[in-house]
Amino acid sequence: MKKNLIKTGCLAIGLCLGAFQAQALDGAVVIANSSVAADSLSADALKDILTGKTKYWDGGQAVIITILPDKTDAALQQACGMDTSAFKTFWQRLAFSGRGQEPKKAADAAELVQIVATTKGAIAIVPADAALTGVKKLEIK
Amino acid sequence: MKNSKRTHSAILALTATIMAAGGAQAYELKLGTNMPPIDIHGFASQGFLASTKYNYLANNTKDGSFKFSEAAVNVSMNPFPRTHIAAQGFLFDVGNVGQYYPALDYASIDYTFCDQFGVRAGRIRRPEGIYNAIQDVDLARTSILLPQGMYDARYRDFSGSIDGGSLFGNVNMSKAGSFSYEAYLGNVNLTDDGGIARLLQDDFGKAPTQYKGVEGFTEGGVQLWWNTPIDGLRAGFAMYDALGFGYKYNVNIPPNLGGGLYHAQLDSPTEHYSLEYTVKNWTFQTEYKHNGYESYTVHNGVSTGGVVHSAADVWYAGAAYRFNKWFETGVYYTEDYANVDDRDGSKTGKGSDAYQKDLALSLRFDPKPWWVIKAEVHYIRGTALLDDNLDNPSRNGDGWFMLAMKTTVSF
């Protein structure tokens, strides 16, 4: 009985931690185009995508990063360790040396969701209260 | 010259057009439902250089010079799975170098088998240190002039790109961070109107010698980066060898006194160390580069003195701070030595031509995401990089100032 209580307690703590980690980004969630096979990403995998180390999804589709300047800065910083300015400079360095494609930019959350919905391989960090239509939400573990 | 003026006017017109339009978004060229689009980006820069004592970079900076411009357009796409194509056309003018002659900066295709391994072929921007592959991109840094002993704006034809291939990848090392690499091999094509030819023309353009031409060479090397477990901290090491860079000059004295055509060749094994740390609004950088030179000269089929060994080195350390999305400031200090065995010029009698030490203070203002304005002051001692001999007939080691200003628009 005592062992069962401990197991149950551990499970509950684990579930709480899991829930906490799944919403690890401040006020934001990660979305992707429906062509993306993955339903979840580890925090490290998300960071590798945002820092250009992973440029293709498992099936070979190019990762198309889309950002919403000024609206998701804290979450971007949390996800890749760079603020918006550093992120922009980082990708300009890759793009202007022929080693990557600059992230697309959206003017507002609705446009961001629209771009992700219509662009194969697209991924984005979007405010948690945005209406998500035609995209899939990726769990961040 | 007329063509240069027309092109300069075109850059200014492009700059003005982008500004008048209130900025421009990157352009996306759609090719139909089954093909991914082509992304098109570009930038145009116009700068101004003024110096107090010597003419530097441009050839009339003592009077102030606007001959400091750059423009580029690049295209990229992912036409097939794991395949990326990118190309960039570029033109620039720094004094007598560049002259707005349009050049293919890079045009490459790469295939990424997995994160750890990919191949790239074509004309490739050569990875070396923090800035070599992006030294043309004013947008991607705080300063206007990079430390010139390491990233000289005049010799981009020598250092910028190779025609060949590379292997690249990124290896995750779990708690030890990650490790990225790019190893390359290819040819560097030089022309008589490029920066390195201009340097040689100045060196050998005085009687009794006469510059007769420059030759391309083979270059192989590798750039390694360790992205440490500490966010924003990375350490780099690069090494390469420029094999068989050659040039010819004529000595206009009677043949029996040693006159005639001389053919000089140079191998240049080089090591380059980098450290960069980006934390919060700060960026700290330091780099060190050591160039070895193994040169020999042939006259009438006979070596004139065996292989001559020498070495040069350069280092810098700097920091930049971003106040907010509009303002950023930076400072760096750099020292360049033309001969590591004669750092003060006393042994070879080169005097101040043996070194150049530069303290630079920069201010960057981004009024719009697509528009950058910069101003920068340099206090310089030494004259090692005043390669434009004809523009600076007399020199000494006294300090001198340089002012640089630049604006860049991008889309």
Side-chain angles (χ1 to χ4, degrees):
Chain A
M1 181 67 179
K2 199 174 182 181
K3 279 185 180 175
N4 282 343
L5 277 175
I6 291 171
K7 275 185 182 175
T8 308
C10 288
L11 187 61
I13 291 168
L15 286 171
C16 288
L17 285 174
F20 176 75
Q21 285 170 347
Q23 296 180 6
L25 298 180
D26 284 343
V29 294
V30 177
I31 58 171
N33 181 266
S34 57
S35 65
V36 173
D39 293 317
S40 64
L41 289 174
S42 70
D44 285 344
L46 177 62
K47 185 176 180 181
D48 283 350
I49 285 172
L50 294 172
T51 55
K53 290 170 188 158
T54 298
K55 292 178 180 164
Y56 298 95
W57 297 106
D58 279 346
Q61 173 70 50
V63 173
I64 308 293
I65 301 169
T66 309
I67 60 167
L68 183 58
D70 299 331
K71 305 289 189 337
T72 52
D73 292 359
L76 182 67
Q77 167 95 47
Q78 204 179 351
C80 71
M82 288 186 272
D83 66 18
T84 308
S85 292
F87 184 77
K88 180 180 160 191
T89 300
F90 176 86
W91 278 98
Q92 281 175 334
R93 288 180 180 185
L94 287 182
F96 282 101
S97 63
R99 289 171 171 82
Q101 273 187 299
E102 260 194 84
K104 293 177 184 293
K105 298 179 191 74
D108 54 43
E111 187 188 6
L112 183 76
V113 172
Q114 166 79 12
I115 291 172
V116 173
T118 56
T119 307
K120 282 183 182 175
I123 183 171
I125 297 173
V126 64
D129 59 359
L132 305 181
T133 309
V135 297
K136 68 194 295 185
K137 188 173 164 183
L138 297 184
E139 184 186 5
I140 304 304
K141 293 180 176 174
Chain B
M1 182 59 90
K2 275 185 177 176
N3 188 42
S4 290
K5 281 186 176 174
R6 273 202 298 269
T7 312
H8 190 195
S9 301
I11 289 177
L12 293 176
L14 174 65
T15 305
T17 303
I18 293 173
M19 292 174 74
Q25 285 285 322
Y27 186 69
E28 193 176 88
L29 183 62
K30 296 190 187 300
L31 300 176
T33 51
N34 293 324
M35 284 294 284
I38 297 176
D39 273 7
I40 304 175
H41 292 268
F43 63 84
S45 298
Q46 176 59 52
F48 173 76
L49 296 169
S51 53
T52 56
K53 190 168 182 180
Y54 301 108
N55 291 306
Y56 182 41
L57 299 176
N59 53 350
N60 55 347
T61 53
K62 282 198 287 184
D63 297 327
S65 174
F66 286 96
K67 286 178 72 64
F68 185 31
S69 312
E70 293 158 338
V73 174
N74 75 49
V75 295
S76 63
M77 73 179 300
N78 297 288
F80 312 110
R82 301 191 172 280
T83 307
H84 180 67
I85 295 176
Q88 179 163 287
F90 178 67
L91 52 82
F92 74 102
D93 189 42
V94 183
N96 286 340
V97 180
Q99 300 279 324
Y100 305 108
Y101 183 77
L104 186 62
D105 206 13
Y106 58 78
S108 61
I109 180 167
D110 63 56
Y111 186 84
T112 303
F113 292 91
C114 55
D115 290 352
Q116 294 79 16
F117 182 68
V119 295
R120 180 172 291 129
R123 176 164 292 179
I124 298 166
R125 284 299 292 186
R126 197 174 60 81
E128 184 199 335
I130 296 172
Y131 287 110
N132 193 64
I134 49 158
Q135 59 174 300
D136 307 324
V137 189
D138 182 66
L139 300 163
R141 60 178 183 260
T142 311
S143 67
I144 295 173
L145 298 174
L146 290 165
Q148 291 294 288
M150 198 169 286
Y151 303 106
D152 198 309
R154 296 164 296 187
Y155 308 137
R156 294 180 242 216
D157 60 330
F158 189 83
S159 62
S161 306
I162 59 158
D163 294 337
S166 72
L167 308 176
F168 63 88
N170 184 78
V171 180
N172 199 323
M173 300 189 297
S174 188
K175 291 189 185 308
S178 68
F179 167 83
S180 66
Y181 67 92
E182 185 165 357
Y184 58 89
L185 179 66
N187 294 319
V188 176
N189 297 306
L190 299 174
T191 61
D192 283 336
D193 51 12
I196 204 74
R198 153 88 173 156
L199 166 68
L200 293 166
Q201 282 165 27
D202 280 341
D203 281 349
F204 293 99
K206 294 166 288 188
T209 58
Q210 180 185 15
Y211 167 81
K212 297 297 280 185
V214 68
E215 296 165 344
F217 57 94
T218 299
E219 189 160 15
V222 63
Q223 171 69 54
L224 309 173
W225 284 107
W226 175 37
N227 301 297
T228 73
I230 300 169
D231 261 352
L233 178 63
R234 63 176 184 154
F237 170 70
M239 58 185 298
Y240 66 89
D241 202 345
L243 293 165
F245 162 58
Y247 55 92
K248 294 176 180 172
Y249 59 96
N250 213 55
V251 178
N252 298 316
I253 57 176
N256 60 334
L257 297 178
L261 187 66
Y262 284 72
H263 183 193
Q265 282 214 299
L266 186 74
D267 292 345
S268 180
T270 299
E271 295 166 8
H272 191 140
Y273 302 84
S274 311
L275 193 63
E276 183 177 52
Y277 185 36
T278 304
V279 54
K280 295 188 174 173
N281 292 356
W282 288 94
T283 300
F284 301 94
Q285 296 173 330
T286 185
E287 293 192 274
Y288 172 78
K289 180 176 177 175
H290 180 276
N291 280 91
Y293 298 114
E294 296 165 5
S295 59
Y296 56 96
T297 304
V298 174
H299 175 52
N300 290 333
V302 179
S303 171
T304 59
V307 177
V308 177
H309 295 270
S310 63
D313 67 359
V314 53
W315 71 273
Y316 77 89
Y321 182 78
R322 177 162 278 278
F323 296 100
N324 49 45
K325 68 179 182 180
W326 296 291
F327 288 102
E328 190 172 316
T329 188
V331 63
Y332 69 75
Y333 177 72
T334 179
E335 292 187 352
D336 174 78
Y337 295 100
N339 184 340
V340 297
D341 294 324
D342 184 27
R343 293 188 183 274
D344 62 2
S346 59
K347 290 183 190 168
T348 56
K350 289 190 114 189
S352 66
D353 277 0
Y355 59 88
Q356 189 157 315
K357 303 172 185 183
D358 183 352
L359 177 64
L361 178 64
S362 318
L363 181 64
R364 170 176 171 154
F365 173 43
D366 292 48
K368 300 284 181 186
W370 48 268
W371 184 16
V372 177
I373 300 169
K374 296 182 185 178
E376 187 168 284
V377 177
H378 293 253
Y379 176 65
I380 303 171
R381 286 181 297 136
T383 53
L385 298 172
L386 303 187
D387 295 319
D388 312 288
N389 293 321
L390 304 177
D391 298 328
N392 297 289
S394 66
R395 316 175 192 191
N396 60 43
D398 294 344
W400 49 289
F401 287 92
M402 183 159 207
L403 169 70
M405 300 179 78
K406 197 172 194 183
T407 186
T408 299
V409 293
S410 63
F411 66 91

